[in-house]
């Protein structure tokens, strides 16, 4: 009996995806609920499980093909896979890690990013104890296993098309097809530049008070809430104050109407293996520091694993992007449509500043607010950024709603 595998519903308003990777090849045995293919959508990579046990009969779409929701992409036949021929005595057996990860018992918990790391580093996932949720193997687990076996650097990933470098030495080129996510990121950001009237305003923030608060309470905070107290919680709460006082920064344009929100859903820009993703902290205005920090930590972990879902990234009324973690001193962040503003954070560095007529050294950070000038006037943008600055420099304002 044959079972057709179709493209599942991938999320609200998502009508198609592309084949990112086949996890099962024709002839392979397939267990019920075992992932057989990774689909790339505009925002995430989604593993599609088999609804039945059997044998992969055929693929009806190739890697890179665009497939619509409901389209048949594979067929699974009832039965068992034929045994694979044993290796000849004079032929070395292939390394376990060079086989498709789906042939190992651990494959059922591997994300696309982890599978790529397994192949790049040549490790056997069946020998790795996963540290992720539910025993899931993470990319960090693979890297740790690679270090233990003395593999400091990954093998070069296969390319879609490569111009080989001459053996005598020369200049090679490599062409790799853009992932669907990267193509969508490019289109959305370019569309934001073409549609919105983008402008950026800057300010600088003395981080002394926040650093002092973290130093004083970090151990008690971690002990009570089981999470590290970071900077993002402070900026998220400061942003909530600003967006409450300047509602246009938390709004967006739809047609000839302005849509205002009485809640704050903050999109947090996170770097993932396939590109930048922006999971959303819902109802940030009602959450405390611990809940915000836990949400951010969970997003970062799942972004690395490749396990974020469409629901995690749907919506969002305002974005915070922290380029400081990569060492950025100053930038002009670009808005995340249909949002109208984004807050850019940067690295903290000691700089001389004038305080009460004296020059002192303080830990300073440049902050930037990019905004859509069609909706937000310069006065409003400057006011919002100034509120954020004042709340960070005097965190008591966040407690008494000033």
């Amino acid at each position: 009996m044959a079972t057709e595998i179709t493209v599942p519903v991938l999320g609200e308003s998502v009508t198609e995806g592309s084949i990112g990777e086949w996890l099962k090849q024709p002839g392979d045995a397939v267990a019920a609920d075992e992932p057989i293919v990774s689909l790339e959508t505009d925002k995430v990579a989604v593993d599609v499980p088999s609804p039945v046990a059997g044998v992969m009969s055929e693929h009806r779409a190739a890697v890179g093909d665009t497939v619509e929701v409901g389209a048949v992409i594979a067929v699974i036949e009832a039965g068992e896979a034929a045994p694979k021929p044993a290796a000849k005595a004079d032929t070395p057996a292939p390394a376990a890690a060079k086989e498709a990860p789906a042939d190992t018992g651990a494959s059922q918990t591997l994300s696309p990013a982890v599978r790529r790391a397994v192949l790049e580093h040549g490790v056997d996932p069946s020998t790795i104890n996963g540290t992720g949720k539910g025993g899931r193997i993470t990319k960090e687990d693979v890297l740790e296993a690679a270090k233990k076996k003395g593999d400091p650097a990954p093998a070069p990933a296969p390319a879609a098309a490569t111009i080989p470098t001459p053996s005598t030495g020369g200049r090679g080129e490599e062409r790799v097809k853009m992932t669907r996510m990267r193509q969508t990121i490019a289109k959305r950001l370019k569309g934001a530049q073409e549609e919105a009237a983008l402008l950026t305003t800057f300010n600088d923030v003395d981080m002394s008070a926040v650093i002092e608060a973290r130093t004083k309470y970090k151990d008690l905070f971690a002990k009570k809430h089981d999470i590290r107290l970071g900077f993002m919680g402070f900026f998220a709460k400061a942003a909530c104050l600003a967006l409450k006082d300047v509602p246009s920064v938390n709004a967006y344009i739809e047609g000839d109407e302005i849509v205002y929100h009485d809640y704050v859903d903050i999109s947090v820009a996170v770097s993932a293996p396939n590109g930048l993703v922006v999971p959303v902290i819902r109802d940030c205005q009602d959450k405390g520091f611990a809940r915000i920090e836990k949400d951010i930590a969970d997003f970062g972990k799942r972004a690395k694993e490749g396990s974020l879902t469409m629901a995690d990234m749907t919506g969002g009324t305002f974005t915070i992007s922290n380029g400081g973690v990569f060492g950025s001193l100053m930038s002009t962040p670009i808005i995340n449509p249909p949002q109208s503003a984004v807050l850019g954070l940067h690295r903290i560095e000691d700089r001389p500043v004038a305080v009460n007529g004296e020059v002192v050294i303080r830990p300073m950070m440049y902050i930037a607010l990019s905004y859509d000038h069609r909706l937000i006037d310069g006065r409003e943008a400057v006011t919002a950024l100034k509120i954020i600055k004042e709340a960070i420099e005097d965190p008591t304002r966040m407690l008494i709603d000033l």
Side-chain angles (χ1 to χ4, degrees):
M1 179 179 176
T3 299
E4 293 183 334
I5 306 301
T6 60
V7 178
V9 175
L10 300 171
E12 184 180 357
S13 76
V14 179
T15 60
E16 63 182 24
S18 60
I19 305 293
E21 178 185 4
W22 280 107
L23 309 179
K24 288 293 185 179
Q25 302 301 321
D28 287 350
V30 178
D33 298 322
E34 182 177 12
I36 58 175
V37 63
S38 176
L39 293 177
E40 292 182 353
T41 69
D42 294 347
K43 296 182 178 179
V44 293
V46 179
D47 283 354
V48 178
S50 171
V52 298
V55 178
M56 176 64 72
S57 174
E58 62 175 309
H59 296 164
R60 293 192 178 176
V63 172
D65 285 356
T66 297
V67 288
E68 296 183 351
V69 171
V72 177
I73 55 175
V75 176
I76 293 179
E77 296 281 353
E80 297 182 357
K84 295 182 179 180
K88 296 181 180 179
D90 58 349
T91 303
K98 299 303 181 183
E99 297 176 0
D103 289 338
T104 70
S107 65
Q108 296 188 26
T109 60
L110 300 188
S111 69
V114 174
R115 280 191 291 273
R116 284 192 290 272
V118 165
L119 292 175
E120 289 174 357
H121 290 275
V123 297
D124 184 353
S126 65
T127 65
I128 301 175
N129 293 323
T131 61
K133 185 177 181 181
R136 187 183 185 93
I137 296 177
T138 68
K139 187 176 181 181
E140 286 71 23
D141 295 332
V142 176
L143 296 178
E144 181 65 23
K147 290 179 183 179
K148 289 182 179 179
K149 82 180 192 68
D151 179 25
T162 303
I163 300 177
T165 303
S167 58
T168 57
R171 300 189 301 169
E173 293 183 354
E174 183 180 31
R175 294 179 182 270
V176 180
K177 185 176 180 180
M178 293 175 69
T179 64
R180 186 177 186 86
M181 184 187 298
R182 176 56 62 185
Q183 293 178 48
T184 301
I185 291 172
K187 291 177 181 178
R188 284 174 61 85
L189 296 185
K190 185 59 180 174
Q193 288 182 318
E194 294 175 348
E195 179 71 15
L198 291 177
L199 199 61
T200 304
T201 183
F202 299 92
N203 215 318
D204 59 355
V205 177
D206 184 345
M207 298 292 292
S208 299
V210 168
I211 291 175
E212 182 181 353
R214 289 185 69 216
T215 302
K216 184 176 181 179
Y217 296 112
K218 64 180 181 180
D219 293 336
L220 288 174
F221 187 88
K223 182 177 180 180
K224 180 176 181 178
H225 300 293
D226 194 28
I227 189 68
R228 174 178 172 271
L229 179 60
F231 291 122
M232 285 294 286
F234 286 94
F235 279 101
K237 295 303 291 183
C240 288
L241 287 180
L243 301 182
K244 178 181 178 182
D245 285 358
V246 191
S248 61
V249 180
N250 196 42
Y252 70 92
I253 295 174
E254 186 174 67
D256 59 356
E257 296 179 329
I258 300 174
V259 180
Y260 292 94
H261 304 94
D262 61 359
Y263 57 88
V264 179
D265 286 354
I266 296 183
S267 302
V268 181
V270 177
S271 180
N274 291 334
L276 191 71
V277 294
V278 279
V280 181
I281 304 174
R282 314 283 176 186
D283 294 315
C284 200
Q285 77 283 351
D286 295 330
K287 292 183 176 179
F289 281 76
R291 184 66 266 167
I292 292 173
E293 293 291 355
K294 287 180 179 180
D295 286 351
I296 293 171
D298 178 60
F299 289 149
K301 180 175 179 292
R302 289 196 287 136
K304 292 178 181 178
E305 296 175 351
S307 59
L308 287 171
T309 66
M310 291 291 295
D312 292 325
M313 290 174 283
T314 300
T317 63
F318 182 75
T319 294
I320 299 179
S321 178
N322 186 7
V325 296
F326 303 109
S328 174
L329 175 64
M330 185 180 291
S331 68
T332 55
I334 189 168
I335 64 174
N336 178 29
Q339 297 173 21
S340 298
V342 53
L343 174 66
L345 308 182
H346 303 92
R347 76 170 186 250
I348 302 170
E349 62 176 10
D350 289 341
R351 292 201 299 270
V353 295
V355 178
N356 298 325
E358 296 182 357
V359 176
V360 296
I361 303 298
R362 291 292 175 84
M364 304 297 294
M365 176 196 287
Y366 289 117
I367 57 176
L369 185 75
S370 291
Y371 58 99
D372 188 346
H373 209 351
R374 297 177 303 164
L375 171 60
I376 303 169
D377 294 331
R379 176 182 58 84
E380 295 174 308
V382 172
T383 299
L385 197 60
K386 186 171 180 287
I387 292 172
I388 293 173
K389 168 186 169 69
E390 292 172 344
I392 294 298
E393 293 184 337
D394 183 7
T396 305
R397 287 174 171 267
M398 300 183 214
L399 298 177
I400 59 178
D401 195 18
L402 282 179

